[in-house]
Amino acid sequence: MQITSASREPLAPWIRQNRDRIDEALWRDGHVLFRGFEVGGLPGFEDCAVSACDALYRHYGDLPLASASDNVYFSTPYPRHLEIRFHNEASHTQSWPSRQLFFCLEPATEGGEWTLSDGRQVIERLPAQMLERFRELGLVYRRRFIRGLDTSWQQFFKVETLQELRVKIAGSGHEIDAISENDLTVSYRTHAVLRIPERGTEAWFNQILLHHPDALPAEVDAMLGKHFRRDQFPRTVFFGDGSPIPAEWVRTIDRVLMECSIRIPTEAHDVLLVNNLLMAHGRLPYSGNRQVRVALGDMREVAA
């Protein structure tokens, strides 16, 4: 759904006054694009996020912070010439945002569209045998934190020592394999399909295309392959019993997500509000100085 203001109304108060309409659209369409409104820079964007969510999330370790308030993040730091594959934010962890907001400060010169794929439609189109196996087994994500290669485990988990990490994740389902302080692997078993009881529905909800080696761009696969075995890449994902997900299944998942997707070209001052439970998001390659900020809100837990 797109809502356009012809008179550049201030966005935050508009959201507060129309929250019921926005909430309905998020469940129906999975997203709302606000265009032509006066956002008011980063402080105004944060006010929009506060207005659209019951509570913002301040402790996400996978995105770098962009504001002193800790409520606004930079977008994913990823090479501009590569596509960010479809994923549901934080679905590889034990808690995730129900809502995610994106604010376009500066659009790309070319490309850089937001992409969204409806997880409800994906469920309907995936082969039944494949879907049932993912329902039955779930997934196990294996993340290898290697200093200098990705976000550090200290930044991701917001701790300083291995002892603090063990205490923090005790009982959460994470397993740690510590080679050293600078090379640590964490595994986590969770779902591939999310059940949403209050709506009586379910959605494809995971990060397979961000973690599976067979979904990597060829140049990234080749670069990592010079240093690691494929099952020891910094990010990998398996069925919940530890067995491999076949490459042809990954290709099918990629195809179905594309079939269920839309592209949203970005304009300056656009704000995109996404239902993260229903919609996987991504970003197309771009040129220019694209600048996007992100806010996360209304967290849910695995046990909820």
Side-chain angles (χ1 to χ4, degrees):
M1 177 178 180
Q2 179 173 324
I3 300 174
T4 303
S5 171
S7 57
R8 295 201 63 81
E9 297 174 74
L11 180 54
W14 194 96
I15 291 175
R16 288 192 290 269
Q17 293 164 13
N18 293 274
R19 179 68 184 268
D20 289 346
R21 177 186 175 190
I22 292 167
D23 292 349
E24 180 184 352
L26 282 176
W27 284 115
R28 184 186 65 243
D29 303 324
H31 73 284
V32 180
L33 175 66
F34 301 98
R35 178 163 288 170
F37 288 85
E38 177 59 48
V39 179
L42 287 185
F45 172 60
E46 184 172 337
D47 193 14
C48 292
V50 169
S51 301
C53 302
D54 294 331
L56 298 187
Y57 186 53
R58 306 177 60 182
H59 307 290
Y60 191 45
D62 250 343
L63 296 176
L65 286 167
S67 72
S69 69
D70 292 353
N71 284 330
V72 176
Y73 302 87
F74 289 101
S75 59
T76 302
Y78 199 69
R80 65 186 66 190
H81 70 287
L82 296 177
E83 176 185 357
I84 297 178
R85 310 300 294 278
F86 287 116
H87 64 286
N88 301 86
E89 198 67 48
S91 55
H92 61 310
T93 70
Q94 68 184 101
S95 60
W96 54 86
S98 298
R99 298 184 176 194
Q100 186 166 15
L101 294 97
F102 301 87
F103 174 39
C104 180
L105 285 166
E106 183 178 348
T109 304
E110 184 177 358
E113 295 93 341
W114 287 309
T115 55
L116 299 174
S117 184
D118 193 320
R120 296 164 296 187
Q121 296 178 22
V122 174
I123 288 293
E124 294 175 354
R125 296 194 186 193
L126 282 174
Q129 181 182 7
M130 180 186 300
L131 184 59
E132 189 53 40
R133 184 164 175 81
F134 279 113
R135 283 196 186 107
E136 176 187 357
L137 296 180
L139 302 171
V140 59
Y141 295 96
R142 186 177 300 158
R143 185 153 177 184
R144 188 176 179 187
F145 293 91
I146 304 171
R147 186 177 296 276
L149 189 61
D150 196 354
T151 301
S152 70
W153 57 265
Q154 293 93 335
Q155 177 182 339
F156 184 79
F157 288 102
K158 306 299 182 186
V159 296
E160 294 297 330
T161 68
L162 281 174
Q163 180 58 31
E164 290 175 343
L165 176 58
R166 290 190 173 97
V167 170
K168 182 169 185 176
I169 67 176
S172 68
H174 289 82
E175 296 182 5
I176 301 175
D177 180 11
I179 300 172
S180 70
E181 288 277 345
N182 297 329
D183 191 345
L184 180 146
T185 299
V186 178
S187 298
Y188 181 63
R189 190 183 187 281
T190 187
H191 45 245
V193 176
L194 181 67
R195 300 187 185 278
I196 308 172
E198 71 268 32
R199 291 284 158 171
T201 189
E202 62 180 1
W204 186 249
F205 186 82
N206 56 67
Q207 293 199 2
I208 291 174
L209 296 184
L210 284 192
H211 285 74
H212 199 287
D214 288 303
L216 288 172
E219 64 182 81
V220 177
D221 187 18
M223 182 272 290
L224 291 174
K226 293 179 181 179
H227 306 282
F228 310 104
R229 297 198 321 263
R230 296 193 94 218
D231 63 347
Q232 292 296 318
F233 276 13
R235 301 190 189 200
T236 49
V237 62
F238 307 87
F239 285 116
D241 63 357
S243 60
I245 301 171
E248 60 269 24
W249 283 32
V250 176
R251 289 191 289 269
T252 298
I253 291 166
D254 186 26
R255 173 181 56 78
V256 172
L257 280 161
M258 286 296 298
E259 291 173 353
C260 301
S261 70
I262 61 171
R263 295 183 180 187
I264 302 177
T266 55
E267 296 183 7
H269 313 301
D270 278 355
V271 172
L272 176 65
L273 173 59
V274 176
N275 184 332
N276 186 52
L277 307 180
L278 301 181
M279 307 293 284
H281 68 275
R283 187 222 71 204
L284 294 182
Y286 70 93
S287 58
N289 189 36
R290 183 180 186 270
Q291 296 291 322
V292 171
R293 301 294 182 263
V294 180
L296 311 171
D298 297 352
M299 299 300 290
R300 293 200 178 193
E301 301 281 341
V302 168

